[in-house]
Amino acid sequence: MEYDVKDLSLAADGKNKIEWAGKDMPVLEGIRDELAREGSLKGARIAACLHVTSETANLMIALKGGGAKVALCASNPLSTQDDVAASLVKDYGISVFAIKGEDNDTYYRHINSALDTKPQISMDDGADVVSCLHSERKVLLEGMMGGTEETTTGVIRLKSMEKNKVLGYPIIAVNDALTKHLFDNRYGTGQSTIDGILRATNMLLAGKKFVVVGYGWCGKGVAMRAKGMGASVIVLEVDPLRALEAKMDGFEVMSNVEAAKVGEVFLSVTGNKHVIGEPILANCKDRTVVANSGHFDIEIDLDYLRENSISERVVRPFVTEYLMSDKRRIYVLAQGRLVNLSAAEGHPASVMDMSFANQALSAKHIFEHADKLEKKVYAVPQDIDEHIAEIKLGTMGIEIDKLTPEQEEYLNAWQMGT
Ligand code: ADE
């Protein structure tokens, strides 16, 4: 079996972490048992490019148990948990190509190693596998049955490929399932981002002016949790509807230049380039902390910092200080990469439970229905989404009411008025 991980002797710690996370993933556990019982993925070759965490490990184990041959590489150079990668190889016999802190060349070499297994199904978080398959590894496109995509940024890239008629095989946009983005993006990113900032800096959030750039589901989650820690939250948004929503949710809303004058922590979650750029970096206060939880490391203008600083040094793990020519110090967390997965462990298992239940069932759907799927970006089938919500509620010990026949009839009758 091929693999490239940091150190196999880390496996014992990794196994404990995988089992710990697994206990908080009851929905995925049920699906794992079902896939194994039915052999639903027998013979499927899957290349997964996901954050290599203990939660992802549980997904890989479920897919392998269902009969798939799985190869896993990282979807970000800084998010790999080396002990988990070691355990997946040593204890579970799964090919992993991922090392925390790998350079760009190694990152792409690892994606190519996963693709060397000639996958039929891709599982992406950010669309790097799809992008590689459509550029360097085009010959493999023919064998692709379909793929899944985990994150907003990836779905945007894929929809643009679909629109430009260059998408070479069908994709299921897992991110767009309600049981994914309403929970993972909001509560997962909300909590894990705060966790990453605190682990990196150990700062007190109470009383801080905390600026959230972007008010999508991730931004909403971060703003809500920062407020819960006692920070005064300011939201920056370019979309008028979202800006209005942020205002009515109780946050201050202003322009980036205004926020630069007062903000103490800036956190981006937009999926767009340089949203923490010159207007903020040239005007912010001494000792401002900037971090990113968006998928790529393009949200903070690091070139501006390099070009306008007189020195750069690491002052704590995951904290780089830029001393600007006007003597202000700006602290960048995790080199501008996903702070929640670089400086902390990403979203907690109980929320990844639903995201990865969607991944597993979408992979099964692709394997079973490949002949009917076109080169399009598909939503997760609604029955899968609803099924996951129902099971999750059940695992939380929650029973909900059903509509009475009279209520059903009322909702379906357009004639009834006053
Ligand atoms: N994305 C965000 N958090 C994650 C986690 N814990 N595992 C895998 N992918 C993630």
Side-chain angles (χ1 to χ4, degrees):
M1 188 184 73
E2 304 265 325
Y3 64 87
D4 188 18
V5 298
K6 185 170 180 206
D7 179 358
L8 282 187
S9 74
L10 301 171
D13 282 348
K15 187 156 193 273
N16 282 336
K17 274 167 79 172
I18 293 169
E19 287 170 2
W20 175 263
K23 293 201 191 343
D24 266 339
M25 303 181 86
V27 180
L28 184 64
E29 187 184 22
I31 293 168
R32 184 192 70 195
D33 294 346
E34 185 187 306
L35 294 179
R37 208 171 39 245
E38 295 172 3
S40 323
L41 292 169
K42 193 158 183 284
R45 294 189 303 279
I46 302 180
C49 179
L50 300 171
H51 300 296
V52 181
T53 64
S54 49
E55 292 76 26
T56 299
N58 279 283
L59 172 61
M60 296 301 109
I61 292 163
L63 299 175
K64 186 179 179 209
K69 180 170 181 252
V70 186
L72 173 65
C73 59
S75 58
N76 185 290
L78 269 190
S79 60
T80 297
Q81 295 168 5
D82 289 317
D83 48 3
V84 167
S87 173
L88 276 175
V89 172
K90 189 165 174 209
D91 304 314
Y92 298 96
I94 291 174
S95 283
V96 182
F97 306 94
I99 298 171
K100 188 172 176 105
E102 62 197 11
D103 61 20
N104 255 26
D105 287 348
T106 313
Y107 176 78
Y108 284 105
R109 182 164 53 75
H110 282 159
I111 292 183
N112 274 298
S113 299
L115 289 178
D116 288 342
T117 60
K118 299 195 174 60
Q120 297 157 305
I121 298 175
S122 62
M123 211 167 247
D124 250 318
D125 187 334
D128 280 346
V129 162
V130 169
S131 156
C132 223
L133 277 168
H134 285 73
S135 49
E136 286 164 61
R137 308 292 299 264
K138 277 192 183 133
V139 280
L140 295 175
L141 276 177
E142 212 179 302
M144 295 303 297
M145 290 176 154
T148 62
E149 173 51 54
E150 169 78 6
T151 199
T152 318
T153 297
V155 172
I156 291 170
R157 282 174 100 181
L158 292 158
K159 286 194 173 155
S160 143
M161 291 175 81
E162 180 188 19
K163 197 166 149 211
N164 290 302
K165 304 210 172 352
V166 292
L167 186 63
Y169 63 96
I171 299 284
I172 298 187
V174 165
N175 179 72
D176 296 356
L178 296 175
T179 47
K180 199 279 180 179
H181 69 265
L182 289 182
F183 304 91
D184 170 313
N185 299 26
R186 181 167 36 171
Y187 303 111
T189 309
Q191 178 168 317
S192 63
T193 297
I194 301 297
D195 188 12
I197 293 172
L198 296 186
R199 288 201 211 187
T201 62
N202 196 28
M203 66 167 54
L204 182 72
L205 281 183
K208 282 270 181 324
K209 290 264 189 203
F210 190 108
V211 183
V212 179
V213 190
Y215 204 64
W217 289 109
C218 295
K220 287 184 175 69
V222 176
M224 173 173 63
R225 292 300 178 239
K227 182 179 178 183
M229 296 288 283
S232 307
V233 177
I234 296 166
V235 171
L236 308 187
E237 242 306 338
V238 290
D239 177 325
L241 276 170
R242 285 182 176 176
L244 195 56
E245 194 183 5
K247 178 70 186 162
M248 295 210 184
D249 283 345
F251 302 113
E252 276 192 84
V253 177
M254 58 182 76
S255 70
N256 53 10
V257 176
E258 285 305 306
K261 294 181 200 153
V262 292
E264 294 171 286
V265 181
F266 287 76
L267 182 279
S268 57
V269 258
T270 64
N272 212 341
K273 200 175 165 186
H274 295 175
V275 294
I276 301 183
E278 185 171 347
I280 292 171
L281 300 171
N283 296 302
C284 65
K285 304 201 294 191
D286 182 28
R287 305 205 71 226
T288 293
V289 170
V290 299
N292 167 53
S293 264
H295 185 77
F296 288 117
D297 60 344
I298 38 86
E299 305 215 9
I300 301 169
D301 189 351
L302 294 174
D303 287 338
Y304 177 87
L305 287 175
R306 287 187 199 113
E307 283 156 19
N308 292 279
S309 57
I310 45 183
S311 70
E312 172 184 340
R313 65 185 181 120
V314 175
V315 291
R316 283 168 64 94
F318 304 110
V319 184
T320 306
E321 177 191 84
Y322 289 85
L323 179 60
M324 306 303 282
S325 27
D326 59 9
K327 298 285 157 52
R328 287 173 308 129
R329 289 154 294 178
I330 297 178
Y331 298 111
V332 176
L333 306 190
Q335 300 163 28
R337 295 198 185 275
L338 288 156
V339 70
N340 58 338
L341 280 138
S342 306
E345 294 169 69
H347 307 351
S350 63
V351 82
M352 294 313 294
D353 189 24
M354 287 191 282
S355 310
F356 285 166
N358 275 292
Q359 285 283 7
L361 293 179
S362 295
K364 178 177 178 229
H365 182 83
I366 290 168
F367 198 53
E368 287 171 352
H369 300 96
D371 53 332
K372 293 183 205 75
L373 299 175
E374 294 169 41
K375 294 172 183 174
K376 287 185 181 166
V377 178
Y378 287 90
V380 171
Q382 202 182 334
D383 57 325
I384 293 185
D385 208 355
E386 281 168 8
H387 180 58
I388 290 171
E390 263 168 27
I391 310 180
K392 188 71 176 174
L393 276 172
T395 65
M396 295 167 98
I398 297 170
E399 257 183 62
I400 59 170
D401 301 319
K402 288 203 172 1
L403 291 176
T404 63
E406 188 191 10
Q407 288 166 336
E408 289 238 30
E409 194 190 342
Y410 178 79
L411 289 180
N412 288 325
W414 54 270
Q415 300 95 334
M416 274 187 246
T418 309

